[in-house]
Amino acid sequence: MTFLHWAILFPFLFAFMVPFLYKTFRKIHTGWFVLPLPICLFIFFLQFLPGVKYKEGIVQTVKWIPSLGIDFAVYVDGLSLLFALLITGIGSLVVLYSIYYLSKEKEQLNAFYVYLLMFMGAMLGVVLTDNTIVLYTFWEITSFSSFLLIGYWHYRERSRYGALKSMLITVFGGLSMLGGFILLYIMTGTFSIRETIAQSSSIADNGLFIPALILLLLGAFTKSAQFPFYIWLPDAMEAPTPVSAYLHSATMVKAGIYLVARFTPVFAGSAEWFWIVSLFGIFTLFWGSFHAVKQTDLKAMLAFSTVSQLGMIMSLLGVGSAALLFDHFEFYSVAILAAIFHLINHATFKGSLFMVAGIVDHETGTRDIRKLGGLMSLMPITFTIGLIGAFSMAGLPPFNGFLSKEMFFTGMIRVLNMDVFQTETWGFLLPVLAWIGSIFTFIYSMMFVFKTFSGKLQLENLPKKPHEAPIGMLIPPIVLASLVVIFGFFPNLLAYSLIEPAMKSVMPSLLKDGEHFHIHISHWHGFTAEFWMTVGVVILGIFLYLTASKWKRVYDLQPKRMTLNQLYDHSLKTAGKTSNRLTSFYMTGFIRDYLVYIFAFMIMAVGATMIIKQSISFAADDAAPVGIYELILSIVMIAGSITAVLARSRLTAIIALSSVGYSLALFFVLFRAPDLALTQLVIETVSTALFLLAFYFLPELQKKDKTRRFRLVNFIISAGVGGIVTLLAISASSERTGKTIAEYFLETSYSLGGGYNVVNVILVDFRGFDTLFEITVLAIAALAVYSMIRLRTGGKDVEENGFKNE
Amino acid sequence: MEIVTSIVAGILFMTATYLMLSKSLLRIIIGTGLLSHGAHLLILTMGGLKKGTVPLLDEHAASYVDPLPQALILTAIVISFGVTAFFLVLAYRSYQELGTDDMDQMRGNDQK
């Protein structure tokens, strides 16, 4: 265990301490105890920066389940370091923000910070591990802790609904991803991601390659809220705002992005990867931004915006994967650069925007943009932060969003130059959808900031009187907003320390030893296509923003019943109903039906086996001759059993049953079994007496006036059972092979057992254990009968009123 | 002879099954009685119905019938008696408590 392992496990260990701290120091907000941990981890991860810049990643391995090849291997390279810094950095800011956001009197803070720390540790585990099974383990912990955090206000119905929805969808994806990992293991024989990458060239032709690719992408798409799995994210907005800012904008939803980036070296170069990732990404970008515009809730708007931005990063990763196919890769790898740069930018501006939305909610009591407006003068600092974040999101200069948006356009336009995977036919979709999506991005960004902060102040609609937020709540968004500005003005600040190493880990095969990607991000490219696209976005965006009330009707075009949410709700309900109907269809509660299933299954299973194996035989040469007494007795038994079926009174039925029993005793006499005959006679007598005794208290078999109904199904089933038994018995006795062990018993009964009666010697000597437990059975039956009669659970009223009627 | 006893056992199984599929608890118990008779007859048949003397060694005969199936049947008779006795008392008690011996009315309560 190195310190790197402990860095992942620290949040979990600390989560154990939180409840004690909470109970002991009620006066101090628990968040203050939590705050140092992510800060320390952030500083700890910072020291890896020079390392990843110059050399290969650092690997530390601890054995976990060595027999299965599962190690807790930690791997730090550019990509995982970038994510680790995001997780711990934004984690620190979110913890600080939550200290002011959550009241220490009203909220269950211990639970909150336990979940949050669990999430933080799991997320660090996801991005830092090299073993797919360990990755999966941490992946599910993130799903689980996200479930707990969304349902934090568990007394609200919407929270529970959102938590369940996100759980179902992300766990579905997680399980698919596990399937993908297992397929990769089957192909490569290793769970290690680095070793899988090393073998990537040899698995491309494998038949399992495409299934593994699709299963893995299912995991990534559900986690990163891609179309059509994005529906859980808007409902996850029921979580407290710090959670939304942390999990559902900056970190957890990027786990899918991380997965795609991490496995790009394995799958990139195949057409399926390129098209699935790019098209789903670009469509998610369009769909998310299109739907963000119609939202009236600030957080819902941000949720759809997150969906759309994640789609943008995803499509960039997909497009960038084609760079592997070209010699002049630097021309195409700009998409990967844009993806990584936008990943950082999105985390900064989206985090700050969520915090702004949280502040507005906290200070006014509502997040509905129809009620908000004119807060600019009351909350100037919040407004400034919101403005910076929104302009960056819209892709306006001089903020960092502008830079990544320009690179995004560049990457998408360059698809047109590719001539692989039929890009000449469908490639135009990417820049077109990208451009349309960006227009809508511009519109909702403007709506977010101007509908909230400008316009008329509607004091009468606000539950609280608004005022500026406390300074502690403002510090985290200020830090993020300043990062937005800093990265905007000095985009090359991170170029070689963080972005270039991350690119290197996404596309390791492009570079020879010692080579570097050349990164230069600048504001001004000249009058290129990207520039005109941005101009178009701004002009059209402003126009559409101003005329929004006129064209908003377009959203009514999609019928309410056809939305994905309806589809999800409906299929969930249908699944429940169908399984309920199915279960109540065959679980009728009538014992007869169950017996029918059992008997019918027996008939079919045994019958089919006998037919398939052709084991029916009638060989009577070895059989004993038929005697006249036996024949008569057989007829008596058959008559007795049929009488038992047809009998109308219980007495007849009992007598018929006894006649069969006594005939059996006579059979035993004829077949040379005196002990059996004795026992059978005695027992038949006793049971007949018992039957008579018990039946004395029981009602008539049938009501006299009611004619017995003949049930055809019952008859067929019972005829089948009888037929199968007869067939089995005849076939078995015809095919008898080998000698019996009777000789041994007959020879040694006297010499070993000291008795002439061989049956008795077998019972008490050779096979005495049978007898011991048969005695036990009798004893248990006797005790049970006694206790059933003596111990009454029905209570006194039963005894007083006689029979209890329902 | 084996074929005849096999058919008899088959008919016992058939009538037993038919009785067990009926509504009345009493008919079900009679069915189980017939079923155990059928099973015992089947074991005896399976052991072979070869002529021979009773398996008592002081008979000094040349051949005896197989004693092992007899021992098995003896055990089975006693066990089925124990179970039948228990089942009977159970039927008696349930009729006392529930006032019915109709299996359809003895369905558990659905929480509906």
Side-chain angles (χ1 to χ4, degrees), chain A residues 97 298 352-364 372 375-390 448-450 452-454 466-471 473-475 477-478 481:
Chain A
Y97 180 78
L298 284 180
S352 69
L353 285 178
F354 264 110
M355 290 174 183
V356 165
I359 290 171
V360 169
D361 185 20
H362 204 258
E363 302 307 331
T364 65
L372 293 167
L375 295 173
M376 199 192 294
S377 52
L378 291 169
M379 305 164 82
I381 305 173
T382 316
F383 167 66
T384 315
I385 301 164
L387 193 73
I388 294 171
F448 178 86
V449 64
F450 290 117
T452 312
F453 293 103
S454 68
H467 54 80
E468 190 57 276
I471 184 70
M473 219 160 163
L474 286 171
I475 290 173
I478 287 174

Side-chain angles (χ1 to χ4, degrees), chain A residues 23 108 140 209 306 341 442 471 514 537 598 613 656 714 758:
Chain A
K23 287 270 175 336
Q108 289 287 317
E140 292 297 21
F209 181 77
T306 304
F341 190 46
F442 183 87
I471 184 70
V537 165
I598 295 169
K613 298 279 176 192
N714 291 6
V758 185

